[in-house]
């Protein structure tokens, strides 16, 4: 949890299987919607990126055969999915469970980086700014997705919580730290 | 009880530190006035005011670090930072520059003044000078002193002392190191950044990860070895057929076992480094150290298991506190 690397759980194959097969374009559209909604509710995210607010970030979950390219914007953030890592200003790569744990405050970015669970390439400043902005925003992707699902949210939220319990992967915001 | 002074690089980390039991939080503005001027970190004026209100509601103090050295002709930026910190309700400002200390004593006499580690005040004469002339109430001691030296200093001064107990270690007398300037043109003293990320490039060279700063390779890590941040003083260099660390092997500070000795030495406050770390890290470290200072205050032994966990798996050192120099 501190200077040393936490044990990052493996994202269960059953949970990633749909992601492997799903068509990329509609998934990109859905993620773009989630991202725009998140940024509208956390304007501090863009403010904190400062001069890096217009950079393109490749987020590469190394255990999935896809990479997210995120181009942040106060109102028109875009996420596009690629099968191969695309050109970007900064690339942040790591196991999906580690990336989600970072977003949800379960892990410390420095610790994951030093242990090489997390790889940063390209513009180091931009990658650090993104990491710090996300840490400050106290995001909860599980809650956002459940909220987006409208009436299905009531079913989805406990399902996400159960998946988190079984897998050990931080799918929602963790307050006391996980490891 | 000894006061626990904890880092916050973001408002979320400030709240985490308060909730985990910090007595005081130190933080700075998102500009060159503070010595941790890293991308995505630090506070706007509004965030600082909100953070201070939050801390005060929970009985914690906020100390604002304005601890770089003002550039000649541009002092107004630093003066404004002090005025804004006072307006936001700061409990103290942490200063390094003699001119700025004098300005604050004159223009903001009611604002508590702490001397930053960046001022490198390491003997009773200089500490007393700051106290007598500028009303400095606390000095953060440089990380070059032994516990015996701290005890001796405390006997001869009338201001509070604060010492680092955990986190990254700057091996020089802070405020005096210009290594970073040589490689990047930017230094912690003038720009608030040592070995700034804007000049950092990581390159995969086959199995090896090379960490470069301003075009110089500072460190190479073999496959599986921990990734290095290319901080100049912690680099591994080859010269005259020898490859090794120039100053010391890089290790992070953990003086938790010395808390009872530091209390006996008359130290008022214990400082945790890490404004660049996540809220998760801050919460865990603060929680553990709060338990430790409570134990020491109650005359109980340190909660060993808990503190041992902090440095598990990483090289830890008690720094200069218990050091015999080579
Ligand atoms: S190079 Fe090392 S000793 Fe010098 S300021 Fe940076 S961290 Fe401190």
């Amino acid at each position: 949890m501190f200077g040393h690397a936490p044990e990052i759980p493996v994202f269960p194959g059953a949970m990633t299987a749909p992601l492997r097969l799903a068509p990329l374009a509609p998934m990109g559209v859905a993620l773009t919607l989630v991202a725009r909604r998140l940024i509208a509710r956390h304007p501090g995210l863009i403010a904190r990126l400062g001069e890096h607010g217009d950079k393109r970030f490749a987020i590469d979950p190394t255990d999935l055969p896809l990479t997210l390219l995120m181009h942040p914007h106060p109102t028109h953030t875009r996420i596009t999915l690629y099968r191969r890592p695309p050109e970007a200003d900064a690339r942040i790569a790591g196991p999906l469970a580690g990336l989600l744990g970072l977003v949800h405050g379960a892990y410390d970015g420095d610790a994951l980086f030093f242990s090489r669970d997390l790889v940063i390439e390209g513009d180091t400043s931009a990658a650090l700014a993104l990491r710090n902005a996300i840490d400050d925003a106290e995001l909860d992707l599980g809650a956002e997705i459940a909220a987006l699902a409208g009436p299905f949210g009531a079913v989805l939220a406990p399902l996400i919580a159960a998946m988190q319990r079984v897998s050990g992967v931080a799918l929602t915001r963790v307050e006391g730290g996980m490891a | 009880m000894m006061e626990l002074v904890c880092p916050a690089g973001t408002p979320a980390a400030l709240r985490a530190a308060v909730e985990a039991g910090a007595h005081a939080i130190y933080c700075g503005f998102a500009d060159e006035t503070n010595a941790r001027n890293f991308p995505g970190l630090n506070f706007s004026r509004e965030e600082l005011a909100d953070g201070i209100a939050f801390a005060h509601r929970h009985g914690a103090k906020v100390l604002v670090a304005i601890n770089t050295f003002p550039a000649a002709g541009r002092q107004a930026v630093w003066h404004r930072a002090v005025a804004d910190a006072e307006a936001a309700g700061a409990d103290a400002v942490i200063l390094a520059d003699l001119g700025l200390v004098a300005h604050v004593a004159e223009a903001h006499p009611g604002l508590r003044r702490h001397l930053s580690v960046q001022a490198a005040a390491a003997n009773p004469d200089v500490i007393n000078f700051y106290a007598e002339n500028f009303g400095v109430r606390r000095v953060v001691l440089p990380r070059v002193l032994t516990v015996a030296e701290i005890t001796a200093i405390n006997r001869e001064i009338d201001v509070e002392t604060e010492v680092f107990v955990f986190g990254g270690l700057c091996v020089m007398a802070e405020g005096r190191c210009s290594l970073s300037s040589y490689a990047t043109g930017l230094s912690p003293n003038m720009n608030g950044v040592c070995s700034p990320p804007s000049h950092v490039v990581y390159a995969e060279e086959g199995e090896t990860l090379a960490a470069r700063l301003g075009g110089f390779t500072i460190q190479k890590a073999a496959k599986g070895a921990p990734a290095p941040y290319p901080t100049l003083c912690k680099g591994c260099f080859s010269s005259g057929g020898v490859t090794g660390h120039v100053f010391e092997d890089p290790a992070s500070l953990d003086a938790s076992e010395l808390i009872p000795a530091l209390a006996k030495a008359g130290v008022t406050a214990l400082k945790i480094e890490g404004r660049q770390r996540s809220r998760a890290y801050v919460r865990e470290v603060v929680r553990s150290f709060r338990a430790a200072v409570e134990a020491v205050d109650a005359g109980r032994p340190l909660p060993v298991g808990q503190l041992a966990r902090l440095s598990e798996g990483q090289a830890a050192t008690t720094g200069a506190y218990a050091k015999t120099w080579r």
Side-chain angles (χ1 to χ4, degrees):
Chain A
M1 179 79 230
F2 294 93
H4 68 286
E7 283 292 317
I8 301 174
V10 177
F11 208 97
M15 278 156 72
T16 57
L19 296 176
R20 282 172 202 280
L21 303 174
L24 298 184
M27 268 206 306
V29 172
L31 286 171
T32 296
L33 277 178
V34 174
R36 286 186 187 176
R37 185 188 152 98
L38 274 175
I39 285 169
R41 300 202 340 180
H42 301 270
L45 257 173
I46 298 284
R48 219 156 249 290
L49 282 177
E51 59 178 295
H52 305 290
D54 198 31
K55 301 254 163 93
R56 289 160 310 134
F57 297 92
I59 317 284
D60 187 359
T62 45
D63 44 356
L64 286 184
L66 50 82
T67 303
L68 283 77
L69 183 71
M70 180 176 71
H71 195 177
H73 184 275
T75 52
H76 287 81
T77 294
R78 242 191 0 259
I79 293 184
T80 325
L81 295 180
Y82 292 83
R83 287 287 175 212
R84 280 159 187 267
E87 279 277 310
D89 294 296
R91 173 172 168 262
I92 303 172
L96 182 59
L99 296 172
L100 287 172
L102 270 184
V103 171
H104 289 133
Y107 306 128
D108 176 60
D110 272 12
L112 288 199
F113 174 74
F114 293 137
S115 63
R116 293 174 86 163
D117 287 302
L118 201 67
V119 173
I120 290 177
E121 279 171 8
D123 188 332
T124 311
S125 283
L128 277 184
L130 179 67
R131 179 198 82 180
N132 294 332
I134 285 179
D135 192 53
D136 182 55
E138 299 182 304
L139 302 178
D140 191 329
L141 297 182
E144 291 296 334
I145 288 169
L148 263 185
F152 301 107
V155 186
L156 208 52
L159 193 67
I160 291 173
M163 274 158 60
Q164 171 160 306
R165 249 192 334 273
V166 172
S167 64
V169 178
L171 300 173
T172 57
R173 185 150 67 107
V174 188
E175 260 342 306
M178 283 190 63
Chain B
M1 191 188 310
M2 293 176 99
E3 182 182 315
L4 205 53
V5 182
C6 308
T10 60
L14 180 145
R15 292 191 294 273
V18 169
E19 285 162 5
H23 299 115
I25 289 89
Y26 66 102
C27 56
F29 290 121
D31 58 31
E32 67 207 304
T33 62
N34 103 79
R36 273 255 176 244
N37 181 22
F38 277 79
L41 282 190
N42 301 317
F43 289 65
S44 68
R45 270 44 180 180
E46 197 187 341
E47 286 169 339
L48 183 71
D50 290 348
I52 291 175
F54 179 87
H56 286 175
R57 274 201 302 283
H58 292 81
K61 291 186 272 189
V62 175
L63 321 176
V64 180
I66 304 173
N67 59 345
T68 48
F69 295 85
R74 296 185 45 236
Q75 301 91 316
V77 175
W78 280 260
H79 293 178
R80 202 160 46 239
V82 172
D84 290 346
E86 186 176 44
D91 295 279
V93 283
I94 309 172
L95 311 166
D97 178 66
L98 186 59
L100 192 60
V101 174
H103 165 81
V104 179
E106 207 179 291
H108 307 273
L111 184 57
R112 198 177 212 268
R113 296 175 281 289
H114 291 185
L115 198 61
S116 168
V117 69
Q118 286 282 103
N123 64 65
D125 290 344
V126 70
I127 295 170
N128 286 332
F129 167 80
Y130 279 105
E132 284 158 19
N133 293 287
F134 307 111
V136 163
R137 305 277 295 280
R138 179 183 294 182
V139 49
V140 185
L141 294 175
R143 289 169 263 201
V144 295
L145 300 165
T146 64
V147 175
E149 286 165 339
I150 294 171
T151 311
I153 288 175
N154 271 330
R155 265 195 230 112
E156 289 183 49
I157 61 171
D158 210 12
V159 299
E160 300 169 354
T161 47
E162 177 176 309
V163 301
F164 279 92
V165 285
F166 195 78
L169 203 51
C170 184
V171 298
M172 313 287 179
E174 278 110 325
R176 306 276 159 86
C177 176
S178 300
L179 272 180
S180 177
S181 306
Y182 289 107
T184 69
L186 299 173
S187 77
N189 315 324
M190 303 304 290
N191 314 91
V193 276
C194 175
S195 314
S198 52
H199 292 63
V200 171
V201 173
Y202 288 99
E204 302 270 357
E205 294 174 353
E207 298 275 88
T208 319
L209 178 70
R212 298 206 184 98
L213 180 74
F216 302 103
T217 301
I218 306 299
Q219 188 116 27
K220 285 186 175 178
K223 193 178 180 185
Y229 186 87
T231 305
L232 260 174
C233 65
K234 302 187 169 85
C236 188
F237 304 102
S238 299
S239 170
V242 184
T243 300
H245 298 287
V246 179
F247 303 104
E248 312 196 32
D249 295 350
S252 81
L253 176 70
D254 179 6
S256 52
E257 66 186 61
L258 295 175
I259 295 175
L262 292 166
K264 223 177 271 156
V267 169
T268 301
L270 303 175
K271 185 166 213 156
I272 294 167
E273 185 273 348
R275 282 196 273 158
Q276 75 288 15
R277 306 299 291 258
S278 67
R279 63 183 206 268
Y281 173 92
V282 168
R283 187 184 301 274
E284 286 290 313
V285 176
V286 173
R287 199 180 276 152
S288 299
F289 270 86
R290 176 64 189 253
V293 294
E294 279 184 8
V296 171
D297 188 56
R300 285 184 272 120
L302 288 169
V304 180
Q306 199 177 8
L307 285 172
R309 204 164 60 86
L310 298 181
S311 46
E312 186 191 323
Q314 74 179 111
T317 169
T318 52
Y321 296 128
K323 181 173 204 119
T324 38
W325 290 95
R326 277 179 199 158

